[in-house]
């Protein structure tokens, strides 16, 4: 399981979505307080689903096709999350709003890192699947 490169990519994705989001703020509000994903229930649900999909994908290493599909769903989920982050930062960028975003944080772009890692994992899964199919053809 761990010797396969896609498992390493998926573990890194877990670290990005499940661990780093607790420590890196999405943005800083006008009041100077950092805004973390836990302060919005919708962001918490989406990141929880993304982390759960990553864990299930790591566990189902024997079923490559299911792993591939779960990673695709996770990519779509992270794209939705990224879109929500960008929309929120662009929509509330004015300083007149009560909860305006004054300083954008690096945490807002962590879904991009997760998407890149998931795409790399899917490429490795596809390569493994092609290798297995070519060996089966030779038998």
């Amino acid at each position: 399981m761990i010797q396969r490169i896609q498992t390493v990519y998926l573990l890194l994705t877990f670290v990005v979505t499940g661990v780093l989001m607790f420590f890196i703020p999405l943005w800083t509000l006008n009041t100077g307080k950092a805004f973390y994903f836990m302060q919005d229930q919708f962001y918490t649900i989406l990141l929880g689903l993304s982390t759960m999909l990553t864990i299930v994908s790591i566990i189902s290493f024997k079923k490559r096709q299911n792993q591939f599909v779960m990673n695709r769903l996770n990519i779509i989920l992270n794209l939705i999350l990224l879109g929500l982050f960008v929309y929120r930062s662009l929509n509330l960028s004015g300083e007149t709003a009560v909860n305006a975003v004054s300083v954008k944080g690096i945490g807002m772009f962590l879904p991009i890192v997760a998407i890149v890692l998931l795409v790399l994992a899917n490429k490795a899964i596809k390569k493994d699947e092609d290798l297995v199919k070519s060996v089966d053809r030779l038998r």
Side-chain angles (χ1 to χ4, degrees):
M1 176 178 111
I2 193 68
Q3 70 271 17
R4 294 171 43 200
I5 189 69
Q6 59 262 31
T7 306
V8 174
Y9 291 141
L10 290 171
L11 284 173
L12 289 173
T13 304
F14 170 74
V15 168
V16 168
T17 60
V19 178
L20 286 181
M21 291 301 265
F22 284 103
F23 301 110
I24 299 176
L26 298 175
W27 48 72
T28 305
L29 301 174
N30 277 344
T31 60
K33 294 175 70 177
F35 184 87
Y36 292 92
F37 80 95
M38 299 162 293
Q39 294 171 336
D40 191 340
Q41 185 178 9
F42 194 62
Y43 296 155
T44 306
I45 291 169
L46 287 177
L47 274 166
L49 284 173
S50 177
T51 305
M52 184 184 66
L53 270 174
T54 304
I55 291 170
V56 171
S57 183
I58 290 171
I59 292 171
S60 65
F61 62 93
K62 289 186 179 181
K63 301 173 187 160
R64 286 179 299 277
Q65 287 296 79
N66 291 347
Q67 199 176 26
F68 191 80
V69 170
M70 281 187 273
N71 286 346
R72 286 230 172 147
L73 289 173
N74 205 351
I75 289 171
I76 292 170
L77 194 62
N78 277 303
L79 281 172
I80 291 170
L81 196 60
L82 179 65
L84 288 172
F85 288 164
V86 170
Y87 173 76
R88 172 93 185 244
S89 71
L90 293 177
N91 194 23
L92 297 176
S93 63
E95 296 295 327
T96 59
V98 176
N99 288 334
V101 178
S102 58
V103 178
K104 285 123 182 114
I106 192 73
M108 203 170 87
F109 299 106
L110 283 178
I112 294 174
V113 175
I115 290 168
V116 168
L117 289 170
L118 287 166
V119 166
L120 289 172
N122 271 355
K123 279 188 170 187
I125 291 168
K126 181 76 170 138
K127 190 184 291 185
D128 274 0
E129 190 66 29
D130 290 343
L131 181 66
V132 169
K133 284 182 181 177
S134 71
V135 169
D136 282 345
R137 240 182 276 135
L138 292 175
R139 275 195 239 171

